[in-house]
Amino acid sequence: GAVVSQHPSWVICKSGTSVKIECRSLDFQATTMFWYRQFPKQSLMLMATSNEGSKATYEQGVEKDKFLINHASLTLSTLTVTSAHPEDSSFYICSATTDLAPGTDHYTGELFFGEGSRLTVL
Amino acid sequence: QKEVEQNSGPLSVPEGAIASLNCTYSDRGSQSFFWYRQYSGKSPELIMFIYSNGDKEDGRFTAQLNKASQYVSLLIRDSQPSDSATYLCAVNGYHFGNEKLTFGTGTRLTIIP
């Protein structure tokens, strides 16, 4: 299957600093990437959807000025947590999908996930 | 009503038995349905997807979909201790013109040796 690489896999930072997480599709072009956050023992929560070359669409309750998303190319999206605070500590996961034609046998809307990034803010 | 609902468990099943995981969804326009397995501290990995009513089998796993009842399930035959994980049900819909997967809260499955 397609490979999505996320970096860094874990990061510890001081409160007030900014942290950037990268998400790369290694062997396919990802027209759409999704960023999720997962708190312990909870499900994935979609934070935002980003399409290459356009502004990200944020879910309700997610501060777009705090979680900056850039999808500058078909293989790279970045999430920057600005002025991080301890409550931002979480497991951040990206996923990517290709622009396949819907309604065919080969279209599943399948997402390919990155390995996740564990952020700890002290 | 939550968009995707799962029994949070934990669900304990003896090794070698059948584990049955259930999921209901609220959006009748949903097109594709996925089961992901997530080990603690790891990213989810896709087990199966299904988009037609009925059963779909892949090895020890069988996904069942009933769109009229808005219900999707996952059966794991001959359960192994390595199957112990959290299983996430995900339903595909459209959100702001984009594909969006909505996840359930997950069912924690424990296979007892």
Short mmCIF file of all heavy atoms in Angstrom, two decimals, chain B residues 56-98:
data_model
loop_
_atom_site.label_atom_id
_atom_site.label_comp_id
_atom_site.label_asym_id
_atom_site.label_seq_id
_atom_site.Cartn_x
_atom_site.Cartn_y
_atom_site.Cartn_z
N LYS B 56 -18.12 -9.39 3.43
CA LYS B 56 -16.86 -9.39 2.71
C LYS B 56 -15.83 -10.08 3.59
O LYS B 56 -15.65 -9.68 4.74
CB LYS B 56 -16.41 -7.97 2.37
CG LYS B 56 -15.09 -7.91 1.62
CD LYS B 56 -14.70 -6.47 1.35
CE LYS B 56 -13.35 -6.41 0.63
NZ LYS B 56 -12.91 -5.01 0.39
N GLU B 57 -15.19 -11.11 3.04
CA GLU B 57 -14.27 -11.89 3.84
C GLU B 57 -12.84 -11.69 3.37
O GLU B 57 -12.56 -11.59 2.18
CB GLU B 57 -14.64 -13.39 3.73
CG GLU B 57 -13.87 -14.30 4.65
CD GLU B 57 -14.39 -15.73 4.58
OE1 GLU B 57 -15.61 -15.93 4.56
OE2 GLU B 57 -13.54 -16.65 4.50
N ASP B 58 -11.93 -11.62 4.37
CA ASP B 58 -10.51 -11.52 4.06
C ASP B 58 -9.76 -12.26 5.16
O ASP B 58 -9.57 -11.73 6.25
CB ASP B 58 -10.07 -10.05 3.98
CG ASP B 58 -8.60 -9.90 3.60
OD1 ASP B 58 -7.93 -10.92 3.35
OD2 ASP B 58 -8.12 -8.74 3.54
N GLY B 59 -9.37 -13.50 4.84
CA GLY B 59 -8.68 -14.29 5.85
C GLY B 59 -9.58 -14.57 7.03
O GLY B 59 -10.71 -15.03 6.88
N ARG B 60 -9.11 -14.22 8.22
CA ARG B 60 -9.91 -14.46 9.43
C ARG B 60 -10.94 -13.37 9.68
O ARG B 60 -11.73 -13.46 10.63
CB ARG B 60 -8.98 -14.56 10.65
CG ARG B 60 -8.02 -15.75 10.61
CD ARG B 60 -7.23 -15.90 11.91
NE ARG B 60 -6.34 -14.78 12.18
CZ ARG B 60 -6.51 -13.91 13.17
NH1 ARG B 60 -7.56 -14.01 13.98
NH2 ARG B 60 -5.64 -12.94 13.35
N PHE B 61 -10.93 -12.34 8.87
CA PHE B 61 -11.81 -11.19 9.09
C PHE B 61 -12.99 -11.21 8.11
O PHE B 61 -12.83 -11.49 6.93
CB PHE B 61 -11.03 -9.88 8.92
CG PHE B 61 -9.89 -9.71 9.87
CD1 PHE B 61 -8.60 -10.07 9.49
CD2 PHE B 61 -10.10 -9.22 11.14
CE1 PHE B 61 -7.54 -9.92 10.37
CE2 PHE B 61 -9.05 -9.07 12.03
CZ PHE B 61 -7.77 -9.41 11.64
N THR B 62 -14.17 -10.89 8.63
CA THR B 62 -15.36 -10.72 7.81
C THR B 62 -16.05 -9.43 8.20
O THR B 62 -16.36 -9.23 9.38
CB THR B 62 -16.35 -11.89 7.98
OG1 THR B 62 -15.72 -13.11 7.60
CG2 THR B 62 -17.59 -11.67 7.13
N ALA B 63 -16.24 -8.56 7.22
CA ALA B 63 -17.00 -7.33 7.46
C ALA B 63 -18.41 -7.55 6.95
O ALA B 63 -18.62 -8.18 5.90
CB ALA B 63 -16.36 -6.15 6.75
N GLN B 64 -19.38 -7.04 7.67
CA GLN B 64 -20.78 -7.17 7.28
C GLN B 64 -21.39 -5.78 7.25
O GLN B 64 -21.22 -5.00 8.19
CB GLN B 64 -21.54 -8.03 8.29
CG GLN B 64 -21.01 -9.46 8.38
CD GLN B 64 -21.68 -10.25 9.49
OE1 GLN B 64 -21.90 -9.74 10.58
NE2 GLN B 64 -22.00 -11.51 9.20
N LEU B 65 -22.12 -5.48 6.18
CA LEU B 65 -22.74 -4.17 6.03
C LEU B 65 -24.22 -4.30 5.76
O LEU B 65 -24.64 -5.08 4.90
CB LEU B 65 -22.07 -3.39 4.88
CG LEU B 65 -22.70 -2.05 4.50
CD1 LEU B 65 -22.63 -1.08 5.68
CD2 LEU B 65 -22.02 -1.47 3.28
N ASN B 66 -25.01 -3.53 6.48
CA ASN B 66 -26.46 -3.46 6.27
C ASN B 66 -26.82 -1.99 6.23
O ASN B 66 -26.98 -1.35 7.27
CB ASN B 66 -27.20 -4.19 7.40
CG ASN B 66 -28.69 -4.22 7.16
OD1 ASN B 66 -29.28 -3.27 6.64
ND2 ASN B 66 -29.32 -5.31 7.55
N LYS B 67 -26.93 -1.47 5.02
CA LYS B 67 -27.18 -0.03 4.88
C LYS B 67 -28.59 0.35 5.34
O LYS B 67 -28.81 1.45 5.83
CB LYS B 67 -26.97 0.41 3.43
CG LYS B 67 -25.51 0.40 3.00
CD LYS B 67 -25.35 0.99 1.60
CE LYS B 67 -23.90 1.03 1.19
NZ LYS B 67 -23.71 1.60 -0.17
N ALA B 68 -29.55 -0.54 5.19
CA ALA B 68 -30.92 -0.23 5.62
C ALA B 68 -30.96 -0.02 7.13
O ALA B 68 -31.67 0.86 7.63
CB ALA B 68 -31.86 -1.36 5.21
N SER B 69 -30.20 -0.82 7.84
CA SER B 69 -30.14 -0.70 9.29
C SER B 69 -29.02 0.23 9.76
O SER B 69 -28.87 0.47 10.96
CB SER B 69 -29.95 -2.08 9.93
OG SER B 69 -31.00 -2.94 9.57
N GLN B 70 -28.22 0.72 8.80
CA GLN B 70 -27.11 1.60 9.11
C GLN B 70 -26.18 0.95 10.13
O GLN B 70 -25.88 1.53 11.19
CB GLN B 70 -27.62 2.98 9.58
CG GLN B 70 -28.38 3.69 8.48
CD GLN B 70 -29.01 4.99 8.94
OE1 GLN B 70 -30.23 5.13 8.91
NE2 GLN B 70 -28.22 5.92 9.37
N TYR B 71 -25.75 -0.22 9.76
CA TYR B 71 -25.02 -1.08 10.68
C TYR B 71 -23.88 -1.76 9.94
O TYR B 71 -24.05 -2.24 8.82
CB TYR B 71 -26.02 -2.11 11.22
CG TYR B 71 -25.47 -3.20 12.07
CD1 TYR B 71 -25.38 -3.04 13.46
CD2 TYR B 71 -25.08 -4.41 11.51
CE1 TYR B 71 -24.91 -4.06 14.25
CE2 TYR B 71 -24.59 -5.44 12.31
CZ TYR B 71 -24.52 -5.26 13.67
OH TYR B 71 -24.05 -6.27 14.46
N VAL B 72 -22.71 -1.76 10.57
CA VAL B 72 -21.57 -2.46 9.99
C VAL B 72 -20.87 -3.20 11.12
O VAL B 72 -20.79 -2.69 12.25
CB VAL B 72 -20.63 -1.49 9.25
CG1 VAL B 72 -20.11 -0.40 10.16
CG2 VAL B 72 -19.48 -2.22 8.60
N SER B 73 -20.42 -4.40 10.84
CA SER B 73 -19.77 -5.18 11.88
C SER B 73 -18.48 -5.81 11.35
O SER B 73 -18.24 -5.88 10.15
CB SER B 73 -20.70 -6.27 12.41
OG SER B 73 -20.96 -7.23 11.39
N LEU B 74 -17.67 -6.26 12.29
CA LEU B 74 -16.43 -6.97 11.96
C LEU B 74 -16.37 -8.22 12.80
O LEU B 74 -16.49 -8.16 14.02
CB LEU B 74 -15.21 -6.10 12.24
CG LEU B 74 -13.86 -6.76 11.97
CD1 LEU B 74 -13.64 -6.94 10.46
CD2 LEU B 74 -12.71 -5.92 12.57
N LEU B 75 -16.20 -9.35 12.14
CA LEU B 75 -16.02 -10.62 12.83
C LEU B 75 -14.58 -11.07 12.67
O LEU B 75 -14.01 -11.01 11.58
CB LEU B 75 -16.95 -11.70 12.25
CG LEU B 75 -18.45 -11.42 12.29
CD1 LEU B 75 -19.22 -12.57 11.62
CD2 LEU B 75 -18.92 -11.24 13.72
N ILE B 76 -14.01 -11.52 13.78
CA ILE B 76 -12.65 -12.06 13.75
C ILE B 76 -12.73 -13.51 14.18
O ILE B 76 -13.08 -13.81 15.33
CB ILE B 76 -11.70 -11.28 14.70
CG1 ILE B 76 -11.76 -9.78 14.39
CG2 ILE B 76 -10.27 -11.80 14.56
CD1 ILE B 76 -10.95 -8.93 15.38
N ARG B 77 -12.44 -14.40 13.26
CA ARG B 77 -12.50 -15.83 13.58
C ARG B 77 -11.15 -16.29 14.12
O ARG B 77 -10.11 -15.66 13.86
CB ARG B 77 -12.84 -16.64 12.32
CG ARG B 77 -14.26 -16.44 11.83
CD ARG B 77 -14.53 -17.34 10.61
NE ARG B 77 -13.62 -17.02 9.51
CZ ARG B 77 -13.79 -15.98 8.71
NH1 ARG B 77 -14.81 -15.17 8.86
NH2 ARG B 77 -12.92 -15.75 7.74
N ASP B 78 -11.18 -17.38 14.89
CA ASP B 78 -9.95 -17.95 15.43
C ASP B 78 -9.08 -16.84 16.06
O ASP B 78 -7.91 -16.64 15.69
CB ASP B 78 -9.17 -18.67 14.32
CG ASP B 78 -7.97 -19.44 14.85
OD1 ASP B 78 -7.99 -19.80 16.05
OD2 ASP B 78 -7.03 -19.68 14.08
N SER B 79 -9.68 -16.13 17.00
CA SER B 79 -9.00 -14.97 17.61
C SER B 79 -7.65 -15.35 18.19
O SER B 79 -7.50 -16.40 18.82
CB SER B 79 -9.89 -14.40 18.72
OG SER B 79 -11.11 -13.94 18.19
N GLN B 80 -6.69 -14.47 17.97
CA GLN B 80 -5.33 -14.66 18.47
C GLN B 80 -4.99 -13.55 19.46
O GLN B 80 -5.51 -12.44 19.37
CB GLN B 80 -4.34 -14.62 17.31
CG GLN B 80 -4.61 -15.62 16.20
CD GLN B 80 -4.48 -17.04 16.71
OE1 GLN B 80 -3.49 -17.39 17.37
NE2 GLN B 80 -5.47 -17.88 16.40
N PRO B 81 -4.07 -13.80 20.39
CA PRO B 81 -3.67 -12.74 21.32
C PRO B 81 -3.18 -11.48 20.59
O PRO B 81 -3.38 -10.37 21.09
CB PRO B 81 -2.54 -13.39 22.11
CG PRO B 81 -2.90 -14.83 22.13
CD PRO B 81 -3.49 -15.11 20.77
N SER B 82 -2.59 -11.65 19.41
CA SER B 82 -2.11 -10.49 18.65
C SER B 82 -3.26 -9.63 18.10
O SER B 82 -3.03 -8.52 17.61
CB SER B 82 -1.23 -10.95 17.49
OG SER B 82 -1.96 -11.82 16.63
N ASP B 83 -4.48 -10.16 18.19
CA ASP B 83 -5.65 -9.37 17.76
C ASP B 83 -6.08 -8.38 18.84
O ASP B 83 -6.94 -7.53 18.61
CB ASP B 83 -6.83 -10.29 17.43
CG ASP B 83 -6.57 -11.19 16.23
OD1 ASP B 83 -5.85 -10.75 15.31
OD2 ASP B 83 -7.08 -12.34 16.23
N SER B 84 -5.49 -8.48 20.03
CA SER B 84 -5.83 -7.57 21.11
C SER B 84 -5.41 -6.16 20.73
O SER B 84 -4.23 -5.88 20.51
CB SER B 84 -5.13 -7.99 22.41
OG SER B 84 -5.56 -9.26 22.82
N ALA B 85 -6.37 -5.27 20.62
CA ALA B 85 -6.11 -3.90 20.16
C ALA B 85 -7.43 -3.13 20.28
O ALA B 85 -8.46 -3.69 20.68
CB ALA B 85 -5.63 -3.88 18.71
N THR B 86 -7.39 -1.87 19.92
CA THR B 86 -8.62 -1.09 19.79
C THR B 86 -9.02 -1.08 18.33
O THR B 86 -8.19 -0.82 17.45
CB THR B 86 -8.43 0.35 20.30
OG1 THR B 86 -8.17 0.30 21.70
CG2 THR B 86 -9.69 1.17 20.06
N TYR B 87 -10.27 -1.38 18.06
CA TYR B 87 -10.78 -1.43 16.70
C TYR B 87 -11.68 -0.23 16.44
O TYR B 87 -12.65 0.01 17.16
CB TYR B 87 -11.53 -2.74 16.45
CG TYR B 87 -10.57 -3.90 16.40
CD1 TYR B 87 -10.08 -4.46 17.58
CD2 TYR B 87 -10.11 -4.41 15.18
CE1 TYR B 87 -9.17 -5.51 17.54
CE2 TYR B 87 -9.20 -5.46 15.14
CZ TYR B 87 -8.73 -5.99 16.32
OH TYR B 87 -7.82 -7.02 16.29
N LEU B 88 -11.31 0.53 15.43
CA LEU B 88 -12.03 1.75 15.10
C LEU B 88 -12.87 1.53 13.84
O LEU B 88 -12.36 1.07 12.82
CB LEU B 88 -11.05 2.90 14.84
CG LEU B 88 -10.16 3.32 16.02
CD1 LEU B 88 -9.02 4.19 15.54
CD2 LEU B 88 -10.99 4.05 17.06
N CYS B 89 -14.12 1.88 13.95
CA CYS B 89 -15.01 1.86 12.81
C CYS B 89 -14.98 3.26 12.20
O CYS B 89 -15.01 4.26 12.94
CB CYS B 89 -16.42 1.50 13.27
SG CYS B 89 -17.72 1.72 12.05
N ALA B 90 -14.90 3.36 10.89
CA ALA B 90 -14.87 4.68 10.24
C ALA B 90 -15.84 4.68 9.07
O ALA B 90 -15.94 3.69 8.33
CB ALA B 90 -13.46 5.02 9.79
N VAL B 91 -16.51 5.79 8.89
CA VAL B 91 -17.53 5.90 7.86
C VAL B 91 -17.18 7.07 6.96
O VAL B 91 -16.85 8.16 7.43
CB VAL B 91 -18.91 6.10 8.50
CG1 VAL B 91 -19.97 6.33 7.45
CG2 VAL B 91 -19.26 4.90 9.37
N ASN B 92 -17.27 6.83 5.66
CA ASN B 92 -16.88 7.84 4.68
C ASN B 92 -18.06 8.69 4.28
O ASN B 92 -19.12 8.18 3.92
CB ASN B 92 -16.31 7.10 3.46
CG ASN B 92 -15.92 8.04 2.35
OD1 ASN B 92 -16.78 8.66 1.75
ND2 ASN B 92 -14.65 8.14 2.10
N GLY B 93 -17.87 10.00 4.33
CA GLY B 93 -18.88 10.92 3.86
C GLY B 93 -18.22 12.11 3.21
O GLY B 93 -17.01 12.11 2.99
N TYR B 94 -18.96 13.13 2.93
CA TYR B 94 -18.41 14.33 2.32
C TYR B 94 -18.52 15.48 3.30
O TYR B 94 -19.51 15.63 4.00
CB TYR B 94 -19.12 14.68 1.01
CG TYR B 94 -18.67 13.84 -0.13
CD1 TYR B 94 -19.31 12.63 -0.42
CD2 TYR B 94 -17.57 14.20 -0.90
CE1 TYR B 94 -18.88 11.84 -1.47
CE2 TYR B 94 -17.13 13.40 -1.95
CZ TYR B 94 -17.80 12.23 -2.22
OH TYR B 94 -17.37 11.44 -3.25
N HIS B 95 -17.47 16.28 3.35
CA HIS B 95 -17.41 17.39 4.29
C HIS B 95 -16.76 18.56 3.58
O HIS B 95 -15.61 18.47 3.18
CB HIS B 95 -16.59 16.97 5.51
CG HIS B 95 -16.51 17.99 6.58
ND1 HIS B 95 -17.61 18.34 7.34
CD2 HIS B 95 -15.49 18.74 7.03
CE1 HIS B 95 -17.23 19.26 8.21
NE2 HIS B 95 -15.96 19.51 8.06
N PHE B 96 -17.50 19.65 3.39
CA PHE B 96 -16.99 20.79 2.63
C PHE B 96 -16.46 20.34 1.26
O PHE B 96 -15.45 20.82 0.79
CB PHE B 96 -15.86 21.51 3.39
CG PHE B 96 -16.32 22.14 4.67
CD1 PHE B 96 -15.84 21.71 5.89
CD2 PHE B 96 -17.24 23.17 4.65
CE1 PHE B 96 -16.26 22.29 7.08
CE2 PHE B 96 -17.66 23.76 5.83
CZ PHE B 96 -17.17 23.32 7.04
N GLY B 97 -17.14 19.39 0.65
CA GLY B 97 -16.73 18.93 -0.67
C GLY B 97 -15.57 17.96 -0.66
O GLY B 97 -15.16 17.46 -1.71
N ASN B 98 -15.03 17.68 0.51
CA ASN B 98 -13.93 16.74 0.61
C ASN B 98 -14.41 15.44 1.21
O ASN B 98 -15.37 15.40 1.98
CB ASN B 98 -12.82 17.29 1.51
CG ASN B 98 -12.06 18.40 0.85
OD1 ASN B 98 -11.79 18.34 -0.33
ND2 ASN B 98 -11.72 19.40 1.63
#
